[in-house]
Amino acid sequence: MTLSITTSMRTTGVVEISPQGEIDVENAYEIKDAVAQQLAAGTPQRIELDMHGVSFIDSVGISALVAAFQLASVGGVKLVVTRPSRFAHRQLWVTGLLGLFGAPEPCTNCGDPAHQKVPSRA
C-alpha cells in the first residue's frame, strides 16, 4: 500500500494533515514535507496529524514524525497526533513518544486499517 496525504485548514486556524496507508522508508519524508509546506504557507495555530488511516509505520516513519514535530516547534507551532490507528498508537507507545505527540488515545471507532477484512471472491 502506498501513502497518500490530505491537508485541510479549519476555520479555527488548525491545519489537519491526514496520512493514509503505510509510512515507511520509501515515503516517510512526505510527512515532514507536508508539515514544512504548511509552515511555509503561514503560521497555523496548531498542526494535527490525524493518523487513523495509518496501517503501518516503521522506525523511519517515527523519525519523520519527530523531525516534523521539531520543525513545527522551531516555527512556534504545536504539532499533535490525533486519532491514531491502533498500530500507530502502539508504535508511539513502544518508542516512548506518545506523550510528545499529545498522548492521544487510539481511534476505536475509525475502523483500524491494519485489521480491515479483504473481500473474498465468491
Side-chain angles (χ1 to χ4, degrees), residues 61-102:
I62 296 291
S63 294
L65 291 181
V66 171
F69 178 87
Q70 292 171 333
L71 185 63
S73 293
V74 167
V77 176
K78 183 164 181 73
L79 184 144
V80 297
V81 168
T82 61
R83 302 183 337 140
S85 65
R86 290 177 200 220
F87 187 87
H89 183 270
R90 174 95 174 132
Q91 295 301 93
L92 291 173
W93 180 78
V94 165
T95 58
L97 295 170
L98 195 59
L100 180 71
F101 293 105

PDB file of all heavy atoms in Angstrom, residues 61-102:
ATOM      1  N   GLY A  61       9.583   6.104   9.699  1.00  0.00           N
ATOM      2  CA  GLY A  61       8.364   6.901   9.797  1.00  0.00           C
ATOM      3  C   GLY A  61       8.267   7.621  11.131  1.00  0.00           C
ATOM      4  O   GLY A  61       7.890   8.789  11.200  1.00  0.00           O
ATOM      5  N   ILE A  62       8.623   6.906  12.199  1.00  0.00           N
ATOM      6  CA  ILE A  62       8.625   7.519  13.528  1.00  0.00           C
ATOM      7  C   ILE A  62       9.628   8.671  13.559  1.00  0.00           C
ATOM      8  O   ILE A  62       9.342   9.750  14.091  1.00  0.00           O
ATOM      9  CB  ILE A  62       8.935   6.476  14.622  1.00  0.00           C
ATOM     10  CG1 ILE A  62       7.828   5.413  14.699  1.00  0.00           C
ATOM     11  CG2 ILE A  62       9.168   7.145  15.964  1.00  0.00           C
ATOM     12  CD1 ILE A  62       6.501   5.899  15.222  1.00  0.00           C
ATOM     13  N   SER A  63      10.794   8.456  12.977  1.00  0.00           N
ATOM     14  CA  SER A  63      11.807   9.523  12.915  1.00  0.00           C
ATOM     15  C   SER A  63      11.292  10.733  12.140  1.00  0.00           C
ATOM     16  O   SER A  63      11.570  11.880  12.517  1.00  0.00           O
ATOM     17  CB  SER A  63      13.087   9.003  12.249  1.00  0.00           C
ATOM     18  OG  SER A  63      13.691   8.022  13.048  1.00  0.00           O
ATOM     19  N   ALA A  64      10.537  10.485  11.078  1.00  0.00           N
ATOM     20  CA  ALA A  64       9.969  11.591  10.301  1.00  0.00           C
ATOM     21  C   ALA A  64       8.942  12.368  11.126  1.00  0.00           C
ATOM     22  O   ALA A  64       8.867  13.594  11.024  1.00  0.00           O
ATOM     23  CB  ALA A  64       9.331  11.054   9.019  1.00  0.00           C
ATOM     24  N   LEU A  65       8.168  11.661  11.969  1.00  0.00           N
ATOM     25  CA  LEU A  65       7.222  12.349  12.848  1.00  0.00           C
ATOM     26  C   LEU A  65       7.955  13.246  13.837  1.00  0.00           C
ATOM     27  O   LEU A  65       7.542  14.377  14.082  1.00  0.00           O
ATOM     28  CB  LEU A  65       6.365  11.344  13.613  1.00  0.00           C
ATOM     29  CG  LEU A  65       5.356  10.527  12.830  1.00  0.00           C
ATOM     30  CD1 LEU A  65       4.595   9.610  13.781  1.00  0.00           C
ATOM     31  CD2 LEU A  65       4.402  11.406  12.059  1.00  0.00           C
ATOM     32  N   VAL A  66       9.049  12.742  14.388  1.00  0.00           N
ATOM     33  CA  VAL A  66       9.836  13.526  15.339  1.00  0.00           C
ATOM     34  C   VAL A  66      10.441  14.742  14.633  1.00  0.00           C
ATOM     35  O   VAL A  66      10.415  15.860  15.164  1.00  0.00           O
ATOM     36  CB  VAL A  66      10.924  12.669  16.015  1.00  0.00           C
ATOM     37  CG1 VAL A  66      11.870  13.521  16.841  1.00  0.00           C
ATOM     38  CG2 VAL A  66      10.286  11.581  16.884  1.00  0.00           C
ATOM     39  N   ALA A  67      10.956  14.541  13.419  1.00  0.00           N
ATOM     40  CA  ALA A  67      11.526  15.662  12.660  1.00  0.00           C
ATOM     41  C   ALA A  67      10.449  16.709  12.359  1.00  0.00           C
ATOM     42  O   ALA A  67      10.708  17.917  12.447  1.00  0.00           O
ATOM     43  CB  ALA A  67      12.155  15.157  11.365  1.00  0.00           C
ATOM     44  N   ALA A  68       9.243  16.251  12.026  1.00  0.00           N
ATOM     45  CA  ALA A  68       8.135  17.181  11.770  1.00  0.00           C
ATOM     46  C   ALA A  68       7.768  17.936  13.040  1.00  0.00           C
ATOM     47  O   ALA A  68       7.499  19.141  13.001  1.00  0.00           O
ATOM     48  CB  ALA A  68       6.929  16.416  11.228  1.00  0.00           C
ATOM     49  N   PHE A  69       7.760  17.238  14.174  1.00  0.00           N
ATOM     50  CA  PHE A  69       7.479  17.874  15.463  1.00  0.00           C
ATOM     51  C   PHE A  69       8.506  18.969  15.750  1.00  0.00           C
ATOM     52  O   PHE A  69       8.156  20.078  16.143  1.00  0.00           O
ATOM     53  CB  PHE A  69       7.489  16.821  16.576  1.00  0.00           C
ATOM     54  CG  PHE A  69       7.265  17.398  17.943  1.00  0.00           C
ATOM     55  CD1 PHE A  69       5.973  17.582  18.425  1.00  0.00           C
ATOM     56  CD2 PHE A  69       8.339  17.772  18.737  1.00  0.00           C
ATOM     57  CE1 PHE A  69       5.760  18.126  19.682  1.00  0.00           C
ATOM     58  CE2 PHE A  69       8.134  18.315  20.002  1.00  0.00           C
ATOM     59  CZ  PHE A  69       6.837  18.495  20.474  1.00  0.00           C
ATOM     60  N   GLN A  70       9.784  18.648  15.542  1.00  0.00           N
ATOM     61  CA  GLN A  70      10.851  19.619  15.791  1.00  0.00           C
ATOM     62  C   GLN A  70      10.760  20.810  14.840  1.00  0.00           C
ATOM     63  O   GLN A  70      10.945  21.956  15.260  1.00  0.00           O
ATOM     64  CB  GLN A  70      12.216  18.943  15.679  1.00  0.00           C
ATOM     65  CG  GLN A  70      12.460  17.940  16.782  1.00  0.00           C
ATOM     66  CD  GLN A  70      13.708  17.117  16.563  1.00  0.00           C
ATOM     67  OE1 GLN A  70      14.137  16.904  15.425  1.00  0.00           O
ATOM     68  NE2 GLN A  70      14.281  16.627  17.651  1.00  0.00           N
ATOM     69  N   LEU A  71      10.452  20.542  13.593  1.00  0.00           N
ATOM     70  CA  LEU A  71      10.307  21.612  12.606  1.00  0.00           C
ATOM     71  C   LEU A  71       9.175  22.560  13.002  1.00  0.00           C
ATOM     72  O   LEU A  71       9.327  23.779  12.960  1.00  0.00           O
ATOM     73  CB  LEU A  71      10.031  20.999  11.230  1.00  0.00           C
ATOM     74  CG  LEU A  71       9.965  21.938  10.044  1.00  0.00           C
ATOM     75  CD1 LEU A  71      11.305  22.640   9.832  1.00  0.00           C
ATOM     76  CD2 LEU A  71       9.566  21.164   8.804  1.00  0.00           C
ATOM     77  N   ALA A  72       8.055  21.997  13.417  1.00  0.00           N
ATOM     78  CA  ALA A  72       6.924  22.819  13.856  1.00  0.00           C
ATOM     79  C   ALA A  72       7.289  23.617  15.108  1.00  0.00           C
ATOM     80  O   ALA A  72       6.968  24.803  15.206  1.00  0.00           O
ATOM     81  CB  ALA A  72       5.705  21.940  14.115  1.00  0.00           C
ATOM     82  N   SER A  73       7.975  22.964  16.045  1.00  0.00           N
ATOM     83  CA  SER A  73       8.370  23.644  17.292  1.00  0.00           C
ATOM     84  C   SER A  73       9.266  24.836  17.024  1.00  0.00           C
ATOM     85  O   SER A  73       9.091  25.896  17.634  1.00  0.00           O
ATOM     86  CB  SER A  73       9.090  22.666  18.224  1.00  0.00           C
ATOM     87  OG  SER A  73       8.207  21.688  18.675  1.00  0.00           O
ATOM     88  N   VAL A  74      10.215  24.673  16.123  1.00  0.00           N
ATOM     89  CA  VAL A  74      11.107  25.777  15.768  1.00  0.00           C
ATOM     90  C   VAL A  74      10.302  26.937  15.187  1.00  0.00           C
ATOM     91  O   VAL A  74      10.620  28.102  15.416  1.00  0.00           O
ATOM     92  CB  VAL A  74      12.200  25.299  14.773  1.00  0.00           C
ATOM     93  CG1 VAL A  74      12.936  26.470  14.145  1.00  0.00           C
ATOM     94  CG2 VAL A  74      13.175  24.369  15.469  1.00  0.00           C
ATOM     95  N   GLY A  75       9.227  26.615  14.472  1.00  0.00           N
ATOM     96  CA  GLY A  75       8.364  27.646  13.901  1.00  0.00           C
ATOM     97  C   GLY A  75       7.330  28.179  14.879  1.00  0.00           C
ATOM     98  O   GLY A  75       6.480  28.983  14.514  1.00  0.00           O
ATOM     99  N   GLY A  76       7.374  27.689  16.139  1.00  0.00           N
ATOM    100  CA  GLY A  76       6.440  28.167  17.153  1.00  0.00           C
ATOM    101  C   GLY A  76       5.047  27.556  17.049  1.00  0.00           C
ATOM    102  O   GLY A  76       4.081  28.130  17.550  1.00  0.00           O
ATOM    103  N   VAL A  77       4.944  26.410  16.400  1.00  0.00           N
ATOM    104  CA  VAL A  77       3.653  25.760  16.185  1.00  0.00           C
ATOM    105  C   VAL A  77       3.639  24.422  16.904  1.00  0.00           C
ATOM    106  O   VAL A  77       4.588  23.655  16.832  1.00  0.00           O
ATOM    107  CB  VAL A  77       3.387  25.549  14.674  1.00  0.00           C
ATOM    108  CG1 VAL A  77       2.085  24.794  14.443  1.00  0.00           C
ATOM    109  CG2 VAL A  77       3.392  26.880  13.944  1.00  0.00           C
ATOM    110  N   LYS A  78       2.543  24.157  17.596  1.00  0.00           N
ATOM    111  CA  LYS A  78       2.379  22.881  18.285  1.00  0.00           C
ATOM    112  C   LYS A  78       1.882  21.842  17.289  1.00  0.00           C
ATOM    113  O   LYS A  78       0.920  22.074  16.563  1.00  0.00           O
ATOM    114  CB  LYS A  78       1.400  23.004  19.443  1.00  0.00           C
ATOM    115  CG  LYS A  78       1.247  21.723  20.229  1.00  0.00           C
ATOM    116  CD  LYS A  78       0.592  21.984  21.555  1.00  0.00           C
ATOM    117  CE  LYS A  78       0.454  20.721  22.365  1.00  0.00           C
ATOM    118  NZ  LYS A  78       1.676  20.233  22.922  1.00  0.00           N
ATOM    119  N   LEU A  79       2.535  20.684  17.258  1.00  0.00           N
ATOM    120  CA  LEU A  79       2.123  19.574  16.410  1.00  0.00           C
ATOM    121  C   LEU A  79       1.680  18.428  17.311  1.00  0.00           C
ATOM    122  O   LEU A  79       2.419  18.041  18.222  1.00  0.00           O
ATOM    123  CB  LEU A  79       3.276  19.125  15.512  1.00  0.00           C
ATOM    124  CG  LEU A  79       2.960  18.027  14.511  1.00  0.00           C
ATOM    125  CD1 LEU A  79       3.711  18.265  13.214  1.00  0.00           C
ATOM    126  CD2 LEU A  79       3.307  16.660  15.060  1.00  0.00           C
ATOM    127  N   VAL A  80       0.485  17.914  17.078  1.00  0.00           N
ATOM    128  CA  VAL A  80      -0.032  16.789  17.856  1.00  0.00           C
ATOM    129  C   VAL A  80      -0.533  15.704  16.910  1.00  0.00           C
ATOM    130  O   VAL A  80      -0.882  15.974  15.764  1.00  0.00           O
ATOM    131  CB  VAL A  80      -1.168  17.209  18.821  1.00  0.00           C
ATOM    132  CG1 VAL A  80      -0.672  18.191  19.864  1.00  0.00           C
ATOM    133  CG2 VAL A  80      -2.352  17.763  18.066  1.00  0.00           C
ATOM    134  N   VAL A  81      -0.575  14.488  17.418  1.00  0.00           N
ATOM    135  CA  VAL A  81      -1.175  13.368  16.696  1.00  0.00           C
ATOM    136  C   VAL A  81      -2.592  13.199  17.223  1.00  0.00           C
ATOM    137  O   VAL A  81      -2.821  13.246  18.434  1.00  0.00           O
ATOM    138  CB  VAL A  81      -0.356  12.073  16.903  1.00  0.00           C
ATOM    139  CG1 VAL A  81      -1.122  10.853  16.415  1.00  0.00           C
ATOM    140  CG2 VAL A  81       0.989  12.176  16.197  1.00  0.00           C
ATOM    141  N   THR A  82      -3.536  13.020  16.311  1.00  0.00           N
ATOM    142  CA  THR A  82      -4.918  12.767  16.705  1.00  0.00           C
ATOM    143  C   THR A  82      -5.385  11.461  16.075  1.00  0.00           C
ATOM    144  O   THR A  82      -4.893  11.063  15.017  1.00  0.00           O
ATOM    145  CB  THR A  82      -5.864  13.898  16.254  1.00  0.00           C
ATOM    146  OG1 THR A  82      -5.841  14.002  14.830  1.00  0.00           O
ATOM    147  CG2 THR A  82      -5.464  15.226  16.872  1.00  0.00           C
ATOM    148  N   ARG A  83      -6.313  10.807  16.726  1.00  0.00           N
ATOM    149  CA  ARG A  83      -6.959   9.591  16.246  1.00  0.00           C
ATOM    150  C   ARG A  83      -6.005   8.561  15.637  1.00  0.00           C
ATOM    151  O   ARG A  83      -6.230   8.078  14.525  1.00  0.00           O
ATOM    152  CB  ARG A  83      -8.048   9.942  15.232  1.00  0.00           C
ATOM    153  CG  ARG A  83      -9.091  10.854  15.783  1.00  0.00           C
ATOM    154  CD  ARG A  83     -10.249  11.186  14.858  1.00  0.00           C
ATOM    155  NE  ARG A  83     -10.034  11.051  13.445  1.00  0.00           N
ATOM    156  CZ  ARG A  83     -10.948  10.551  12.600  1.00  0.00           C
ATOM    157  NH1 ARG A  83     -12.113  10.146  13.042  1.00  0.00           N
ATOM    158  NH2 ARG A  83     -10.699  10.478  11.313  1.00  0.00           N
ATOM    159  N   PRO A  84      -4.919   8.195  16.336  1.00  0.00           N
ATOM    160  CA  PRO A  84      -4.010   7.215  15.741  1.00  0.00           C
ATOM    161  C   PRO A  84      -4.679   5.849  15.626  1.00  0.00           C
ATOM    162  O   PRO A  84      -5.470   5.462  16.480  1.00  0.00           O
ATOM    163  CB  PRO A  84      -2.843   7.171  16.731  1.00  0.00           C
ATOM    164  CG  PRO A  84      -3.448   7.556  18.041  1.00  0.00           C
ATOM    165  CD  PRO A  84      -4.509   8.566  17.692  1.00  0.00           C
ATOM    166  N   SER A  85      -4.351   5.136  14.559  1.00  0.00           N
ATOM    167  CA  SER A  85      -4.792   3.746  14.448  1.00  0.00           C
ATOM    168  C   SER A  85      -4.161   2.974  15.607  1.00  0.00           C
ATOM    169  O   SER A  85      -3.206   3.449  16.241  1.00  0.00           O
ATOM    170  CB  SER A  85      -4.345   3.153  13.111  1.00  0.00           C
ATOM    171  OG  SER A  85      -2.927   3.086  13.049  1.00  0.00           O
ATOM    172  N   ARG A  86      -4.669   1.807  15.881  1.00  0.00           N
ATOM    173  CA  ARG A  86      -4.088   1.016  16.978  1.00  0.00           C
ATOM    174  C   ARG A  86      -2.610   0.728  16.721  1.00  0.00           C
ATOM    175  O   ARG A  86      -1.809   0.762  17.638  1.00  0.00           O
ATOM    176  CB  ARG A  86      -4.867  -0.274  17.165  1.00  0.00           C
ATOM    177  CG  ARG A  86      -6.232  -0.034  17.724  1.00  0.00           C
ATOM    178  CD  ARG A  86      -7.005  -1.311  17.828  1.00  0.00           C
ATOM    179  NE  ARG A  86      -8.416  -0.986  17.912  1.00  0.00           N
ATOM    180  CZ  ARG A  86      -9.264  -1.594  18.697  1.00  0.00           C
ATOM    181  NH1 ARG A  86      -8.863  -2.586  19.444  1.00  0.00           N
ATOM    182  NH2 ARG A  86     -10.517  -1.241  18.713  1.00  0.00           N
ATOM    183  N   PHE A  87      -2.268   0.448  15.459  1.00  0.00           N
ATOM    184  CA  PHE A  87      -0.872   0.158  15.134  1.00  0.00           C
ATOM    185  C   PHE A  87      -0.001   1.386  15.382  1.00  0.00           C
ATOM    186  O   PHE A  87       1.068   1.286  16.009  1.00  0.00           O
ATOM    187  CB  PHE A  87      -0.727  -0.309  13.682  1.00  0.00           C
ATOM    188  CG  PHE A  87       0.659  -0.786  13.363  1.00  0.00           C
ATOM    189  CD1 PHE A  87       1.013  -2.105  13.589  1.00  0.00           C
ATOM    190  CD2 PHE A  87       1.611   0.086  12.873  1.00  0.00           C
ATOM    191  CE1 PHE A  87       2.309  -2.542  13.323  1.00  0.00           C
ATOM    192  CE2 PHE A  87       2.897  -0.347  12.600  1.00  0.00           C
ATOM    193  CZ  PHE A  87       3.247  -1.667  12.825  1.00  0.00           C
ATOM    194  N   ALA A  88      -0.426   2.539  14.899  1.00  0.00           N
ATOM    195  CA  ALA A  88       0.361   3.772  15.089  1.00  0.00           C
ATOM    196  C   ALA A  88       0.461   4.113  16.573  1.00  0.00           C
ATOM    197  O   ALA A  88       1.535   4.500  17.056  1.00  0.00           O
ATOM    198  CB  ALA A  88      -0.260   4.929  14.308  1.00  0.00           C
ATOM    199  N   HIS A  89      -0.629   3.948  17.298  1.00  0.00           N
ATOM    200  CA  HIS A  89      -0.630   4.208  18.742  1.00  0.00           C
ATOM    201  C   HIS A  89       0.387   3.311  19.438  1.00  0.00           C
ATOM    202  O   HIS A  89       1.171   3.758  20.271  1.00  0.00           O
ATOM    203  CB  HIS A  89      -2.032   3.989  19.312  1.00  0.00           C
ATOM    204  CG  HIS A  89      -2.132   4.300  20.770  1.00  0.00           C
ATOM    205  ND1 HIS A  89      -1.898   3.343  21.745  1.00  0.00           N
ATOM    206  CD2 HIS A  89      -2.429   5.456  21.416  1.00  0.00           C
ATOM    207  CE1 HIS A  89      -2.064   3.902  22.932  1.00  0.00           C
ATOM    208  NE2 HIS A  89      -2.375   5.178  22.766  1.00  0.00           N
ATOM    209  N   ARG A  90       0.372   2.045  19.093  1.00  0.00           N
ATOM    210  CA  ARG A  90       1.301   1.078  19.707  1.00  0.00           C
ATOM    211  C   ARG A  90       2.753   1.467  19.416  1.00  0.00           C
ATOM    212  O   ARG A  90       3.601   1.410  20.300  1.00  0.00           O
ATOM    213  CB  ARG A  90       1.007  -0.320  19.185  1.00  0.00           C
ATOM    214  CG  ARG A  90       1.979  -1.364  19.632  1.00  0.00           C
ATOM    215  CD  ARG A  90       1.491  -2.088  20.842  1.00  0.00           C
ATOM    216  NE  ARG A  90       2.402  -3.184  21.153  1.00  0.00           N
ATOM    217  CZ  ARG A  90       2.878  -3.412  22.338  1.00  0.00           C
ATOM    218  NH1 ARG A  90       2.505  -2.667  23.348  1.00  0.00           N
ATOM    219  NH2 ARG A  90       3.697  -4.403  22.564  1.00  0.00           N
ATOM    220  N   GLN A  91       3.042   1.853  18.188  1.00  0.00           N
ATOM    221  CA  GLN A  91       4.406   2.232  17.831  1.00  0.00           C
ATOM    222  C   GLN A  91       4.858   3.467  18.609  1.00  0.00           C
ATOM    223  O   GLN A  91       5.995   3.529  19.073  1.00  0.00           O
ATOM    224  CB  GLN A  91       4.533   2.473  16.325  1.00  0.00           C
ATOM    225  CG  GLN A  91       4.308   1.239  15.484  1.00  0.00           C
ATOM    226  CD  GLN A  91       5.275   0.131  15.827  1.00  0.00           C
ATOM    227  OE1 GLN A  91       4.987  -0.739  16.648  1.00  0.00           O
ATOM    228  NE2 GLN A  91       6.419   0.144  15.215  1.00  0.00           N
ATOM    229  N   LEU A  92       3.986   4.443  18.757  1.00  0.00           N
ATOM    230  CA  LEU A  92       4.341   5.640  19.529  1.00  0.00           C
ATOM    231  C   LEU A  92       4.518   5.302  21.003  1.00  0.00           C
ATOM    232  O   LEU A  92       5.405   5.838  21.662  1.00  0.00           O
ATOM    233  CB  LEU A  92       3.274   6.729  19.348  1.00  0.00           C
ATOM    234  CG  LEU A  92       3.201   7.350  17.958  1.00  0.00           C
ATOM    235  CD1 LEU A  92       2.003   8.275  17.850  1.00  0.00           C
ATOM    236  CD2 LEU A  92       4.489   8.086  17.616  1.00  0.00           C
ATOM    237  N   TRP A  93       3.702   4.401  21.511  1.00  0.00           N
ATOM    238  CA  TRP A  93       3.808   3.991  22.914  1.00  0.00           C
ATOM    239  C   TRP A  93       5.109   3.216  23.154  1.00  0.00           C
ATOM    240  O   TRP A  93       5.846   3.505  24.101  1.00  0.00           O
ATOM    241  CB  TRP A  93       2.594   3.148  23.306  1.00  0.00           C
ATOM    242  CG  TRP A  93       2.630   2.702  24.719  1.00  0.00           C
ATOM    243  CD1 TRP A  93       2.338   3.441  25.824  1.00  0.00           C
ATOM    244  CD2 TRP A  93       3.008   1.404  25.203  1.00  0.00           C
ATOM    245  NE1 TRP A  93       2.507   2.680  26.965  1.00  0.00           N
ATOM    246  CE2 TRP A  93       2.915   1.426  26.599  1.00  0.00           C
ATOM    247  CE3 TRP A  93       3.408   0.230  24.570  1.00  0.00           C
ATOM    248  CZ2 TRP A  93       3.213   0.327  27.378  1.00  0.00           C
ATOM    249  CZ3 TRP A  93       3.695  -0.873  25.344  1.00  0.00           C
ATOM    250  CH2 TRP A  93       3.604  -0.809  26.732  1.00  0.00           C
ATOM    251  N   VAL A  94       5.409   2.267  22.287  1.00  0.00           N
ATOM    252  CA  VAL A  94       6.609   1.433  22.441  1.00  0.00           C
ATOM    253  C   VAL A  94       7.877   2.279  22.385  1.00  0.00           C
ATOM    254  O   VAL A  94       8.834   2.023  23.106  1.00  0.00           O
ATOM    255  CB  VAL A  94       6.647   0.320  21.363  1.00  0.00           C
ATOM    256  CG1 VAL A  94       8.006  -0.329  21.252  1.00  0.00           C
ATOM    257  CG2 VAL A  94       5.578  -0.722  21.638  1.00  0.00           C
ATOM    258  N   THR A  95       7.875   3.295  21.553  1.00  0.00           N
ATOM    259  CA  THR A  95       9.069   4.142  21.412  1.00  0.00           C
ATOM    260  C   THR A  95       9.162   5.214  22.492  1.00  0.00           C
ATOM    261  O   THR A  95      10.144   5.941  22.548  1.00  0.00           O
ATOM    262  CB  THR A  95       9.084   4.826  20.032  1.00  0.00           C
ATOM    263  OG1 THR A  95       7.887   5.591  19.878  1.00  0.00           O
ATOM    264  CG2 THR A  95       9.216   3.813  18.914  1.00  0.00           C
ATOM    265  N   GLY A  96       8.132   5.317  23.327  1.00  0.00           N
ATOM    266  CA  GLY A  96       8.141   6.322  24.389  1.00  0.00           C
ATOM    267  C   GLY A  96       7.809   7.718  23.907  1.00  0.00           C
ATOM    268  O   GLY A  96       8.047   8.699  24.613  1.00  0.00           O
ATOM    269  N   LEU A  97       7.234   7.823  22.712  1.00  0.00           N
ATOM    270  CA  LEU A  97       6.961   9.136  22.120  1.00  0.00           C
ATOM    271  C   LEU A  97       5.499   9.553  22.183  1.00  0.00           C
ATOM    272  O   LEU A  97       5.145  10.630  21.712  1.00  0.00           O
ATOM    273  CB  LEU A  97       7.428   9.148  20.660  1.00  0.00           C
ATOM    274  CG  LEU A  97       8.929   8.993  20.469  1.00  0.00           C
ATOM    275  CD1 LEU A  97       9.256   8.781  18.998  1.00  0.00           C
ATOM    276  CD2 LEU A  97       9.665  10.192  21.027  1.00  0.00           C
ATOM    277  N   LEU A  98       4.662   8.733  22.768  1.00  0.00           N
ATOM    278  CA  LEU A  98       3.233   9.038  22.804  1.00  0.00           C
ATOM    279  C   LEU A  98       2.962  10.389  23.477  1.00  0.00           C
ATOM    280  O   LEU A  98       2.185  11.200  22.977  1.00  0.00           O
ATOM    281  CB  LEU A  98       2.481   7.912  23.520  1.00  0.00           C
ATOM    282  CG  LEU A  98       0.971   7.878  23.351  1.00  0.00           C
ATOM    283  CD1 LEU A  98       0.584   7.741  21.886  1.00  0.00           C
ATOM    284  CD2 LEU A  98       0.388   6.737  24.157  1.00  0.00           C
ATOM    285  N   GLY A  99       3.639  10.656  24.586  1.00  0.00           N
ATOM    286  CA  GLY A  99       3.450  11.920  25.307  1.00  0.00           C
ATOM    287  C   GLY A  99       3.906  13.124  24.508  1.00  0.00           C
ATOM    288  O   GLY A  99       3.306  14.196  24.598  1.00  0.00           O
ATOM    289  N   LEU A 100       4.964  12.966  23.724  1.00  0.00           N
ATOM    290  CA  LEU A 100       5.473  14.060  22.904  1.00  0.00           C
ATOM    291  C   LEU A 100       4.400  14.568  21.942  1.00  0.00           C
ATOM    292  O   LEU A 100       4.288  15.761  21.684  1.00  0.00           O
ATOM    293  CB  LEU A 100       6.703  13.602  22.110  1.00  0.00           C
ATOM    294  CG  LEU A 100       7.362  14.635  21.200  1.00  0.00           C
ATOM    295  CD1 LEU A 100       8.070  15.694  22.027  1.00  0.00           C
ATOM    296  CD2 LEU A 100       8.335  13.952  20.261  1.00  0.00           C
ATOM    297  N   PHE A 101       3.596  13.645  21.445  1.00  0.00           N
ATOM    298  CA  PHE A 101       2.580  13.983  20.450  1.00  0.00           C
ATOM    299  C   PHE A 101       1.192  14.202  21.047  1.00  0.00           C
ATOM    300  O   PHE A 101       0.189  14.098  20.355  1.00  0.00           O
ATOM    301  CB  PHE A 101       2.531  12.907  19.367  1.00  0.00           C
ATOM    302  CG  PHE A 101       3.785  12.867  18.540  1.00  0.00           C
ATOM    303  CD1 PHE A 101       4.721  11.865  18.724  1.00  0.00           C
ATOM    304  CD2 PHE A 101       4.044  13.846  17.601  1.00  0.00           C
ATOM    305  CE1 PHE A 101       5.885  11.823  17.974  1.00  0.00           C
ATOM    306  CE2 PHE A 101       5.204  13.819  16.844  1.00  0.00           C
ATOM    307  CZ  PHE A 101       6.126  12.812  17.029  1.00  0.00           C
ATOM    308  N   GLY A 102       1.121  14.488  22.341  1.00  0.00           N
ATOM    309  CA  GLY A 102      -0.143  14.831  22.965  1.00  0.00           C
ATOM    310  C   GLY A 102      -0.857  13.683  23.646  1.00  0.00           C
ATOM    311  O   GLY A 102      -1.992  13.838  24.074  1.00  0.00           O
TER     312      GLY A 102
END
